[in-house]
Structures are given as C-alpha cells and as structure tokens.
Amino acid sequence: MGLIMLLYYLRRKRRVLSLLVGAGSGLLALLVVHYGGSLVGISPVLNPLHLVQSAVLGVPGVILMVVLHFTL
C-alpha cells in the first residue's frame, strides 16, 4: 500500500503539497481515533509504527488500523 501511495504522490502536479496534506490528514485522523476512540473501544497507542503508517498511508492507513483491530 505504501508503494501505491508513493506512486500516487509522484503523479500529482503538486507533489510536496499533496504529500503534506495526505500526511497531515492521516496524522489528524490518528489523533482523533486515539483521543475519541475510547467511545468505540479502540485507542491506538501513539508509537512510531502507527505514526509512520498514518503519515504514509493517510486516512486509509488509519481506517486499516481500526479494521484490523476489530478483525484480529
């Protein structure tokens, strides 16, 4: 998935801005899930792996993290 996101960002006209918006939205989504997830029963720890996953994959990475939490 990381390779797909890398190819996506490389094909964009404004590569850096697109990468920053994607990483920022992913990190923001991770923070929302971390602090607001106790209502649903998930509160992922903010460790380097989760931060990198949400920064590289963006919001889909956070959604993947939540889905994997409930399926595994």
Side-chain angles (χ1 to χ4, degrees):
M1 286 182 71
L3 182 61
I4 291 171
M5 291 305 293
L6 178 66
L7 291 174
Y8 171 76
Y9 289 135
L10 288 177
R11 292 183 184 202
R12 303 286 297 183
K13 186 184 290 187
R14 297 180 179 179
R15 296 178 183 133
V16 175
L17 181 63
S18 179
L19 176 69
L20 290 176
V21 169
S25 65
L27 291 172
L28 183 65
L30 180 64
L31 288 176
V32 167
V33 171
H34 175 73
Y35 290 115
S38 61
L39 301 172
V40 189
I42 179 175
S43 183
V45 181
L46 297 178
N47 59 24
L49 178 66
H50 289 157
L51 291 173
V52 169
Q53 177 183 351
S54 64
V56 171
L57 299 178
V59 177
V62 176
I63 293 171
L64 176 69
M65 187 184 315
V66 171
V67 168
L68 287 176
H69 173 77
F70 285 115
T71 57
L72 295 179

